[in-house]
Amino acid sequence: MKSARSRYWGAFLLLLALLALLVVWNINAGSVPLSGKEILRILFSSADGSTEYGIVRTLRLPRICAAVILGGGLSVSGFLLQTFFANPIAGPFVLGISSGAKLAVSLAMISMLSRGAVAGSAPLIGAAFAGAMLSTGFILLISQRVKRMSMLVVCGVMIGYICSAVTDFAVTFAEDSNIVNLHNWSMGSFSGIYWDSVAVMAAVVGAAMALSFLLSKPIGAYQLGEVYAQNMGVNIKAFRLALILLSSVLSACVTAFAGPISFVGIAVPHLVKNLFRTARPILIIPACFLGGAVFCLFCDLIARTAFAPTEVSISSVTAVFGAPIVIYMMAFQRGKTNL
């Protein structure tokens, strides 16, 4: 017991150390490199009017906060979906949930911009949630007929392709130049996020995280089977509804602000469980948040700097690192998953 507790503390400290390192690295990385002394001065001083201060405070810090909040939320969303479907290859991107949210947000943006209205945070999150729930509803209906998880994943991928195709048509044939530029958002990016958006996403993700953490004990019981959870007093219908709603809110918030981001919701929970060598929700939920934040900060750093001044979409980078993990899970853990 003592060794396990030490391992948990060590794993948390490792994630926190990596998070702190990547935060500093992301602040420093870019066309205007900064020394450690300059970073400390900018972080702990009032506005001085310098170019460096503006770059860090208005561009880099909001982007870092967005990567931490949204990356962590997306990872927890994946963990909740994996719990719901009792399979580690379930995730908002693979099951088409992110694509449904992307379609709804795109249509909402096009509708508002065509009328000259400003696309605020609340309408976008609402549209993303509606799209995510619609895709989730299709997946749940299909899951009643398809028992094998591999077939359910294929159906989810097909739903994702359909939603992406409709989104591409809508963006391609839009007349307004601002709407055409939505193509960049549809590929996934943490750029262009400012402090007002960070405040909204922090509130939404924070509330969903708190509720997810409160469900730690029912999730732990549910992991041992529905019968066991019912015997422990868990209302299965209400519990499963709560899992779907929370995972949809988290993935919708990510899509509304950063576009669809692939494989984070599948790969990070798997890596975290291997690091902690446990699936206890009271540990894995906060660990997934930290792991998702670390993973997205690392991928965003590569997206910004690898081919500078050209910026790669964040979803392309997360796919490069996340897809091999999913392939490994499907190829070498077949006996552990209902494929």
Side-chain angles (χ1 to χ4, degrees):
M1 183 68 179
K2 190 174 181 180
S3 61
R5 188 175 299 171
S6 300
R7 183 175 69 251
Y8 300 151
W9 277 109
F12 272 118
L13 290 174
L14 174 62
L15 290 175
L16 287 171
L18 287 173
L19 182 62
L21 174 64
L22 285 167
V23 166
V24 175
W25 197 350
N26 273 267
I27 291 175
N28 183 61
S31 58
V32 181
L34 302 168
S35 65
K37 185 177 180 179
E38 287 177 313
I39 292 174
L40 290 174
R41 177 184 61 81
I42 292 170
L43 291 178
F44 298 102
S45 66
S46 56
D48 57 14
S50 65
T51 302
E52 292 82 2
Y53 185 93
I55 290 173
V56 171
R57 285 296 188 98
T58 62
L59 295 178
R60 294 184 185 175
L61 278 180
R63 182 168 184 156
I64 290 169
C65 290
V68 169
I69 296 168
L70 299 181
L74 190 58
S75 177
V76 174
S77 174
F79 172 72
L80 296 177
L81 285 173
Q82 289 165 14
T83 301
F84 183 92
F85 289 104
N87 198 290
I89 63 171
F93 187 84
V94 170
L95 292 178
I97 298 173
S98 293
S99 297
K102 167 186 168 183
L103 171 59
V105 171
S106 298
L107 294 178
M109 283 185 172
I110 289 171
S111 176
M112 287 186 285
L113 290 175
S114 63
R115 298 198 307 267
V118 177
S121 299
L124 295 185
I125 293 177
F129 179 71
M133 287 303 298
L134 188 61
S135 295
T136 303
F138 278 116
I139 291 296
L140 292 177
L141 287 175
I142 294 170
S143 67
Q144 302 300 316
R145 302 289 301 272
V146 176
K147 300 303 180 184
R148 292 184 62 191
M149 188 62 189
S150 57
M151 294 303 298
L152 188 63
V153 169
V154 171
C155 292
V157 171
M158 294 302 104
I159 291 173
Y161 273 121
I162 293 170
C163 291
S164 295
V166 176
T167 303
D168 290 341
F169 274 119
V171 173
T172 300
F173 292 103
E175 295 181 1
D176 193 284
S177 59
N178 291 326
I179 300 175
V180 175
N181 289 334
L182 289 176
H183 178 72
N184 295 329
W185 166 86
S186 68
M187 298 299 292
S189 176
F190 292 122
S191 63
I193 294 178
Y194 299 102
W195 287 116
D196 54 345
S197 298
V198 171
V200 175
M201 69 179 70
V204 174
V205 173
M209 281 293 302
L211 292 172
S212 300
F213 192 75
L214 291 175
L215 288 175
S216 294
K217 185 174 282 189
I219 290 174
Y222 188 79
Q223 287 175 335
L224 299 175
E226 284 192 20
V227 175
Y228 179 83
Q230 284 179 324
N231 292 335
M232 293 297 291
V234 178
N235 185 328
I236 297 298
K237 288 186 178 180
F239 171 74
R240 287 167 67 90
L241 178 62
L243 287 185
I244 283 295
L245 287 176
L246 288 172
S247 62
S248 296
V249 166
L250 289 169
S251 59
C253 186
V254 174
T255 306
F257 288 105
I261 301 177
S262 61
F263 293 103
V264 177
I266 303 178
V268 174
H270 175 72
L271 293 174
V272 167
K273 289 175 187 176
N274 280 352
L275 176 63
F276 281 75
R277 283 184 279 172
T278 183
R280 292 174 59 190
I282 198 168
L283 294 171
I284 296 302
I285 289 175
C288 276
F289 185 87
L290 289 175
V294 169
F295 188 79
C296 282
L297 272 178
F298 172 71
C299 291
D300 191 46
L301 179 68
I302 294 176
R304 288 197 300 119
T305 61
F307 302 100
T310 301
E311 182 175 320
V312 182
S313 72
I314 184 66
S315 196
S316 299
V317 182
T318 56
V320 168
F321 291 99
I325 297 172
V326 178
I327 293 172
Y328 170 81
M329 291 165 61
M330 296 180 69
F332 298 102
Q333 295 196 342
R334 190 177 182 88
K336 297 181 182 179
T337 58
N338 183 27
L339 299 176

